[in-house]
Amino acid sequence: MTDLRQPRIVIIGAGVAGIAAAHTFKQAGLTDVTICEKGTDVGGVWHWNRYPGLTCDVPSQLYQFGFAPKADWSRVWASGEEIQRYHRDVVERCGLDGWLRLGTEVTDAVYDDESATWTLSTAAGETLHADFVVCATGVLHHPHVPRIDGLDSFTGPVVHTARWDPGLETGGTRVGVIGSGSTGVQIVSALQPQAARLLHFTRSPQWILWAPMGVRQPAPLTALLRRSPGLQRRLYASALWASGILADVVLQPTWRRRAVQAYARSSLRRQVRDRRLREELTPDYEPLCKRQVVSGTYYRAITAPNAQLVTGPIAEVTPTGIRTADGTHHEVDVIVLATGFRTHEYMRPMRITGRDGRSLDEAWAGGPRAYRMTAIPGFPNLFTALGPNSPTGSISLQFSAELTSRYIAQWIERWRRGQFDAIEVTEKATDEFARAVGAAMGPTVWNTGCTSWYQTAGGQIDLWPFDRKRMEEMLDHPDDRHFDEVLLGS
Ligand code: NAP
C-alpha cells in the first residue's frame, strides 16, 4: 500500500464546530492539525458569553457532542458556565490540547494556485501554511451595538451581554436592559431580583415558551448513565430523534406547529394577568417565527413591583438615562445591551483571498453562500463547519458539526491518497443548492412575516430548511459531479 500523504490542516475557531472538526480529524488519523483560537479559552459562544442567568435552552443531554456524552449534567438545561467547563473538558479528554493555539487570531488567509496551499497570517505577525483550512468561526460572534443617539454620553456603565464585565455590580442599582431575544429575557430574569429597578426596553416583544429551566437532572438518572454508557447512547439517540419533532414543527405548517404556537400563546395568557401588560407583551407575528425564546421566569420577573416594560421606541440615551420617543426620560445607572449579534459575518473581519486573488468579500457581496453549509466556489481546499445555512433554528448544532466534519474528512482522505491537490465546489452546484434552499423555505415558520437575525441583508433566510435525514444524505459522501479536482503538474 502506498504511503498516505499527511496534510497540514488549520482549523480556525475552537468553539462547538472547531472542537467537532478537530476530534473527527484525530479519529481519521490526521496528525498535522493546528487549531487557531483568538480567545483565551475554547468554547466559542460559551467562552465569550458570561452574562448573569446564561442558560442553554436546549436540554443538556442533547446539547453535547455525540462522541463525548456527559452523564452528570447538573441541570436538565445547563448553565453557560457548566457548558463552558464541558468544552474545556472535552478538549482535554479527547487529547486536542496539543493542537490548540489560544490567543491566536488569524487575520488573513491567502490561497496560492501554483502550490494549492493556503498561507495564513496571525495578528501576532506569524505565518502558517496549510493544505486545508476549516473555518469554524461561528454565527453568533460579533456583538451588535446599536446606533442610538447619545449612547456614548451615558456616564454609567454600558455593557453588551456578549462581553459581560464580571466586576459589574448591578444589585441595588437601576438597570436598563435593551433587547428581548433569548439573551434579554434571561438577563432580565437574572438581574431583576437584586436590582433597585429594572426597565426592559422592548422594541418587539417575543413569544416565550414556558419551561422549568432550573430543574435539576435527577440523581438516579445521573447514576444510571454513569454506569451504563449504552443507555447514555440510547438516550442521546432518542433526544436527537425527539429534536426531529422540533424541525418538523418549524418546517411544516401542520397541527403540530399550531399546537406549539397555542402553547406559546397560553404561556403568556396564564402568566400575565394584567390585560394591558399582556397586550404590550403580545407579538404581532406568529410564535416560532423568530428564534423561539424559552423561559420559566421572565413573565414573573417583568411583573415584579420593581420591573417595568418599556415598549416605546428609544429616542436617545442621555448622560443619566434613556429617553423614549414620547418624551419620557427613564433614569438608569447601568445600560445592558442585549441587542444580539451581527450574524452572517461568519469569517469576517478575516481577509480571505481565494483562487485568482478573489476575496471572500467579493464572493459574498450578495450575502453568505456555501454549498451544503461547507464549500465555497473560488475557495479551494477551504471548508466551513457550521457555515452559511447551518440549522441554528432546528437541528442539533453538535450533530451538524460532526456530520460536516466527517464529510470534510472524506475529502481530505482522497487528498491523502493523491487523488487531487485542490478541490473546489462548482458555481453550478452551489447555485442549485441555494435554489433548493430558497424553495424549501416557503412553508417554514421563519417565512411567516417577522424580522429576525435569521435574515440576511438581502432578505434571505440563512437557515437549514430540510430535515435531519436530508442533511445526512447531503453530507454522507462527496459528490464528484459537484466539484472540480486539480492535480498539480497534470
Ligand atoms: P437577538 O435574538 O438578535 O435579539 C436582539 C434584541 O435586541 C431584539 O429584541 C432586538 O429587537 C433588540 N434590538 C436590536 N437593536 C435594537 C435597537 N437599536 N433598539 C432596540 N432594540 C434593539 O439576540 P440575542 O437575544 O442575543 O439572541 C441571539 C441568539 O443567541 C438567540 O436567538 C439564540 O439562538 C442564541 N441564544 C441562545 C441562548 C440559549 O439559551 N440557547 C441564550 C441566549 C442566546 P427586534 O426584535 O425588534 O430586532
Side-chain angles (χ1 to χ4, degrees), residues 45-46 49 51 54-58 63 78 83 140 144-148 160-162 178-186 200-206 213 285 290-294 313-314 337-341 343 392-393 451-454:
V45 284
W46 301 106
N49 284 263
Y51 61 82
L54 174 59
T55 307
C56 183
D57 57 16
V58 179
Y63 198 87
I83 297 173
L140 301 167
H144 165 63
V145 176
R147 281 201 206 105
I148 302 176
H160 191 285
T161 47
I178 303 177
S180 53
S182 303
T183 305
V185 161
Q186 289 186 353
H200 191 193
F201 293 85
T202 297
R203 184 166 69 180
S204 337
Q206 287 258 26
M213 304 268 296
Y285 53 86
K290 289 179 188 262
R291 161 62 159 80
Q292 185 56 50
V293 177
V294 184
I314 294 171
L337 301 174
T339 43
F341 299 86
T343 47
T392 39
T451 56
S452 75
W453 64 258
Y454 293 154

Side-chain angles (χ1 to χ4, degrees), residues 185-193 198 271 295-308:
V185 161
Q186 289 186 353
I187 201 161
V188 163
S189 305
L191 299 186
Q192 171 272 320
L198 190 135
Q271 290 178 76
S295 170
T297 46
Y298 175 75
Y299 288 138
R300 197 168 59 226
I302 201 63
T303 47
N306 67 337
Q308 184 186 348

Side-chain angles (χ1 to χ4, degrees), residues 87 339 355 366 412 444:
H87 284 107
T339 43
R355 183 171 49 75
I412 295 177
T444 69

Side-chain angles (χ1 to χ4, degrees), residues 151-439:
L151 191 56
D152 290 345
S153 72
F154 186 67
T155 49
V158 178
V159 61
H160 191 285
T161 47
R163 298 293 179 271
W164 190 257
D165 172 2
L168 181 65
E169 184 48 69
T170 58
T173 67
R174 297 164 302 178
V175 185
V177 176
I178 303 177
S180 53
S182 303
T183 305
V185 161
Q186 289 186 353
I187 201 161
V188 163
S189 305
L191 299 186
Q192 171 272 320
Q194 304 300 329
R197 258 180 90 54
L198 190 135
L199 291 96
H200 191 193
F201 293 85
T202 297
R203 184 166 69 180
S204 337
Q206 287 258 26
W207 291 106
I208 299 172
L209 290 182
W210 184 87
M213 304 268 296
V215 77
R216 300 194 71 76
Q217 176 169 298
L221 175 65
T222 304
L224 215 61
L225 295 176
R226 271 205 182 114
R227 273 203 307 274
S228 170
L231 181 68
Q232 172 119 44
R233 273 195 300 278
R234 284 201 295 283
L235 178 64
Y236 181 70
S238 317
L240 267 184
W241 175 84
S243 70
I245 300 172
L246 168 68
D248 173 67
V249 160
V250 290
L251 299 182
Q252 301 301 330
T254 62
W255 67 268
R256 289 179 290 277
R257 180 188 296 175
R258 288 193 294 281
V260 177
Q261 292 179 323
Y263 179 63
R265 292 190 175 96
S266 79
S267 293
L268 173 60
R269 227 179 12 252
R270 279 185 309 164
Q271 290 178 76
V272 183
R273 294 290 176 196
D274 180 298
R275 182 184 293 248
R276 186 147 168 256
L277 181 61
R278 198 162 63 218
E279 272 168 21
E280 287 184 315
L281 284 168
T282 304
D284 59 2
Y285 53 86
E286 289 190 25
L288 300 164
C289 183
K290 289 179 188 262
R291 161 62 159 80
Q292 185 56 50
V293 177
V294 184
S295 170
T297 46
Y298 175 75
Y299 288 138
R300 197 168 59 226
I302 201 63
T303 47
N306 67 337
Q308 184 186 348
L309 182 75
V310 184
T311 53
I314 294 171
E316 61 168 348
V317 171
T318 70
T320 56
I322 297 175
R323 194 184 312 283
T324 40
D326 62 1
T328 311
H329 187 254
H330 305 268
E331 297 267 334
V332 293
D333 304 306
V334 179
I335 295 180
V336 175
L337 301 174
T339 43
F341 299 86
R342 303 195 312 273
T343 47
H344 320 296
E345 294 202 358
Y346 294 99
M347 297 86 108
R348 272 72 69 82
M350 238 190 314
R351 289 175 293 269
I352 301 188
T353 310
R355 183 171 49 75
D356 302 328
R358 190 159 186 244
S359 73
L360 186 74
D361 286 345
E362 285 163 348
W364 280 7
R369 170 173 180 263
Y371 165 89
R372 299 183 180 181
M373 307 184 283
T374 190
I376 308 167
F379 296 81
N381 293 10
L382 178 141
F383 293 94
T384 53
L386 295 183
N389 292 110
S390 286
T392 39
S394 50
I395 300 171
S396 156
L397 287 179
Q398 288 80 1
F399 174 85
S400 312
E402 290 171 45
L403 193 65
T404 307
S405 301
R406 287 197 292 273
Y407 172 84
I408 298 168
Q410 290 185 53
W411 276 122
I412 295 177
E413 180 63 20
R414 291 181 180 206
W415 183 95
R416 295 185 76 190
R417 293 179 186 283
Q419 188 174 321
F420 62 84
D421 292 303
I423 190 78
E424 179 184 334
V425 69
T426 64
E427 287 282 355
K428 183 166 174 279
T430 309
D431 282 344
E432 276 168 12
F433 173 71
R435 270 197 298 279
V437 165

